[in-house]
Amino acid sequence: MSQIVTIEIICRRHHLEQQVIQQWIARDWLRPDPLGEDDYAFQDIDQARVSLLVELRDLEIGDSAMPVVLSLLDQLYDARRLLGRLRETLATAPAPVREMLGANRHEG
């Protein structure tokens, strides 16, 4: 069972002020589950997003460019997730289907 990670823990781990995290939430760059008025439960995906935001901030990605960068990264992650599911589906497909797809891959 995973433990609840609160905004205080996130701030401590990443050396951030709560105000920064709350700004990211207000801008919809981060979407943790609300626990109360000013507290949140950060799931693994939220914690990974905080790490990403910290890295982008360290790269000096400005606030005006951040939504575009986040949108592009989200699209990339979604595409990777879909490709992974497609790969799993193809792995269980009948051999003739896999062979046909393999042959078509080399024709293009």
Side-chain angles (χ1 to χ4, degrees):
M1 189 161 100
S2 62
Q3 97 184 56
I4 293 178
V5 176
T6 62
I7 196 167
E8 291 85 10
I9 295 169
I10 290 290
C11 289
R12 213 170 325 134
R13 282 184 186 163
H14 294 279
H15 309 288
L16 296 168
E17 299 291 326
Q18 283 192 25
Q19 176 184 350
V20 171
I21 297 292
Q22 293 194 350
Q23 284 176 345
W24 291 348
I25 293 167
R27 292 176 179 162
D28 207 30
W29 297 352
L30 189 58
R31 299 180 191 113
D33 299 324
L35 284 178
E37 188 173 317
D38 285 327
D39 208 2
Y40 303 89
F42 291 81
Q43 305 300 325
D44 290 343
I45 190 119
D46 303 311
Q47 295 176 61
R49 184 71 162 207
V50 170
S51 295
L52 173 64
L53 286 163
V54 168
E55 285 182 44
L56 293 173
R57 190 177 74 164
D58 290 346
L59 291 171
E60 298 181 9
I61 303 294
D63 287 355
S64 60
M66 191 69 77
V68 174
V69 172
L70 291 172
S71 175
L72 291 171
L73 287 171
D74 288 344
Q75 291 175 48
L76 176 63
Y77 294 143
D78 286 343
R80 288 177 70 187
R81 214 174 4 259
L82 286 171
L83 284 173
R85 289 193 351 225
L86 178 59
R87 189 177 9 247
E88 291 171 6
T89 301
L90 289 175
T92 61
V97 172
R98 289 193 318 268
E99 290 168 9
M100 181 185 71
L101 291 172
N104 288 340
R105 182 180 63 197
H106 299 292
E107 292 176 10

